[in-house]
């Protein structure tokens, strides 16, 4: 079976920040190195620049040359340009510059047009990390479920309301359009593409050669920081701080409202406006965050972690972990080994909390 050609967009004219090279290198590693003992022919990789093409046909590898960019990390020129996207079987947008995500800087119109033409020509469209913004700008994610790095999914959903954004998964396969979360999740998606094209055996063997798991359990929910940003509502700050110090106790919305000297309805309205979540969900997120911290940094039994986080029994802790984070507490602990030495007191334990004795 011929897996066909893979065209990877290199945004030369808007710069390639050095921190984005990881996403760019993933498809180059997976699809650019022939593996004749696994599948022959292998993929035909093409790096397609949004800027000028490299005129020297002796350029190494897949036709890419790199040099120092003016304040943007690296600048690249390749043998292929945007017009070559339409002839590819698979088109991958590894990422877009931070300025296009954070500051709303427009993406090159030629890139958006080329992505639409490639899709219309029958190409399978793929984004890694913030590359989803380019597919969304081209209208290719309208009415579809999609993902990106969890730090940018809220911006993606706000900017493109027609996209059904899911921040809990490592990648989304919607047939002819696929999107992944950030960084290593891009590798998960690329291996998934190999599995689709060439079968599980080839994908598993390739993963072994890359010294990575062929499939990771759970989604990116296990990596999301569940802590809520500091609220600008000064009246809520003290009560939320107090609640964080007493998560091991059976707190209710009424307890928080009484502590804040307001009605439960007023508390609900103010917390929703300040943090975007309800009091009950806020409490659950804080308890899950405490449990994650204890699993990462202590050897406490699962039952004790449930008790100290306020989630109750080990079964209840497991239920909420599977539902909200996508993995069991035991699998989460294995993925995030201890980070604190035995001699260091843990700040989450009641006896080590500041103000633990207050009522």
């Amino acid at each position: 079976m011929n897996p066909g050609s893979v065209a990877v967009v290199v945004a030369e004219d808007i710069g390639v920040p050095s921190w984005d090279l990881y996403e760019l290198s993933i498809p180059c590693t997976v699809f650019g190195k022939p593996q004749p003992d696994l599948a022959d022919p292998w993929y035909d990789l093409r790096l397609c620049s949004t800027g000028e093409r490299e005129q020297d046909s002796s350029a190494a590898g897949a036709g890419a040359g790199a040099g120092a960019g003016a304040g943007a990390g690296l600048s690249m020129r390749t043998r292929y340009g945007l017009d070559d996207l339409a002839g590819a079987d698979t088109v991958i947008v590894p990422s877009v510059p931070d300025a296009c995500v954070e500051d709303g800087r427009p993406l090159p119109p030629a890139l958006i047009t080329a992505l639409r033409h490639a899709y219309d020509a029958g190409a399978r469209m793929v984004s890694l990390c913030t590359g989803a913004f380019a597919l969304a700008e081209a209208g290719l994610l309208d009415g579809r479920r999609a993902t990106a790095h969890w730090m940018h999914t809220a911006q993606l959903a706000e900017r493109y309301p027609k996209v059904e954004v899911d921040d809990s998964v490592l990648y989304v396969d919607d047939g002819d359009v696929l999107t992944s979360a950030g960084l290593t999740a891009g590798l998960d998606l690329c291996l998934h593409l190999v599995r689709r094209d060439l079968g599980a055996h080839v994908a598993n063997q390739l993963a072994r050669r890359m010294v990575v798991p062929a499939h990771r359990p759970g989604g990116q929910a296990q990596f999301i920081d569940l802590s809520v940003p500091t609220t600008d509502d000064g009246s809520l700050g003290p009560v939320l701080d107090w609640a964080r110090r007493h998560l091991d106790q059976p707190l209710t919305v009424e307890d928080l409202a009484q502590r804040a000297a307001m009605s439960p309805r007023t508390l609900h309205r103010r917390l929703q406006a300040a943090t975007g979540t309800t009091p009950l969900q806020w409490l659950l997120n804080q308890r899950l965050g405490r449990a994650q911290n204890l699993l990462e940094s202590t050897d406490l039994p699962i039952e004790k972690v449930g008790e100290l986080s306020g989630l109750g029994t080990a079964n209840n802790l497991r239920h909420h972990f599977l539902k909200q984070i996508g993995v069991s507490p035991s699998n989460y602990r294995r993925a995030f080994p201890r980070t604190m030495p035995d001699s260091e007191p843990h700040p989450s334990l009641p006896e080590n909390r500041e103000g633990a004795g207050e009522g």
Side-chain angles (χ1 to χ4, degrees):
M1 178 183 296
N2 189 336
S5 58
V6 175
V8 180
V9 174
V10 180
E12 189 276 338
D13 57 338
I14 49 179
V16 182
S18 56
W19 53 86
D20 283 344
L21 288 178
Y22 184 76
E23 278 94 358
L24 177 59
S25 70
I26 288 172
C28 293
T29 302
V30 172
F31 306 113
K33 179 177 173 57
Q35 307 284 345
D37 58 322
L38 296 181
D40 194 12
W42 194 249
Y43 295 87
D44 174 21
L45 179 70
R46 304 170 184 176
L47 299 183
C48 299
S49 174
T50 59
E52 297 179 1
R53 299 190 190 194
E54 174 62 61
Q55 298 301 316
D56 181 5
S57 61
S58 64
L74 295 176
S75 177
M76 295 189 176
R77 288 190 296 272
T78 77
R79 295 182 195 168
Y80 302 100
L82 290 177
D83 53 340
D84 295 298
L85 296 184
D89 297 294
T90 300
V91 172
I92 300 178
V93 185
S95 61
V96 299
D98 283 351
C100 299
V101 177
E102 304 290 346
D103 305 328
R105 178 179 176 181
L107 287 161
L111 170 61
I112 303 306
T113 299
L115 292 175
R116 291 174 180 151
H117 287 168
Y119 178 74
D120 291 341
R124 177 174 59 183
M125 308 301 290
V126 179
S127 69
L128 312 182
C129 194
T130 56
F133 284 78
L135 297 190
E137 184 66 25
L140 304 183
L141 299 183
D142 288 356
R144 294 179 183 265
R145 180 166 160 261
T147 194
H149 193 293
W150 62 265
M151 293 180 68
H152 302 298
T153 47
Q155 293 162 300
L156 182 65
E158 180 180 3
R159 194 173 303 173
Y160 304 101
K162 293 182 180 180
V163 182
E164 182 185 342
V165 179
D166 187 344
D167 66 359
S168 68
V169 294
L170 292 174
Y171 58 83
V172 173
D173 182 343
D174 197 31
D176 55 348
V177 178
L178 301 91
T179 56
S180 86
L183 298 169
T184 307
L187 180 55
D188 292 303
L189 177 53
C190 287
L191 287 172
H192 172 71
L193 291 172
V194 174
R195 189 178 300 110
R196 267 185 48 171
D197 296 340
L198 300 172
H201 174 73
V202 173
N204 292 343
Q205 291 302 310
L206 180 61
R208 288 171 63 90
R209 295 178 183 183
M210 299 178 69
V211 199
V212 296
H215 177 75
R216 287 193 292 167
Q220 68 170 328
Q222 60 190 300
F223 305 103
I224 294 176
D225 183 359
L226 292 174
S227 60
V228 177
T230 302
T231 172
D232 293 328
D233 188 339
S235 63
L236 291 180
V239 68
L240 298 185
D241 289 340
W242 175 84
R244 291 187 187 98
R245 295 197 301 270
H246 295 83
L247 290 175
D248 56 316
Q249 300 178 17
L251 301 178
T252 65
V253 176
E254 287 72 22
D255 292 332
L256 298 183
Q258 184 178 10
R259 187 83 184 180
M262 60 183 67
S263 69
R265 184 173 181 178
T266 300
L267 175 70
H268 186 286
R269 176 170 51 81
R270 290 192 180 178
L271 190 63
Q272 181 83 45
T275 67
T277 189
T278 66
L280 282 177
Q281 187 61 49
W282 183 88
L283 271 174
L284 178 58
N285 286 347
Q286 296 303 307
R287 295 188 192 284
L288 285 168
R290 170 70 57 78
Q292 288 176 296
N293 189 267
L294 291 170
L295 289 169
E296 293 174 23
S297 54
T298 76
D299 291 326
L300 293 171
I302 300 297
E303 190 79 34
K304 188 66 174 177
V305 171
E307 176 187 331
L308 291 174
S309 62
L311 291 171
T313 65
N315 283 338
N316 200 44
L317 175 65
R318 189 174 299 108
H319 166 76
H320 285 294
F321 251 70
L322 288 171
K323 183 177 180 180
Q324 301 289 331
I325 298 178
V327 294
S328 69
S330 297
N331 282 338
Y332 183 88
R333 172 170 270 169
R334 281 192 286 269
F336 296 91
R338 280 176 57 87
T339 58
M340 298 180 69
D342 293 334
S343 59
E344 184 175 344
H346 197 282
S348 292
L349 300 180
E351 59 269 25
N352 296 321
R353 293 199 309 259
E354 182 182 352
E358 57 180 290

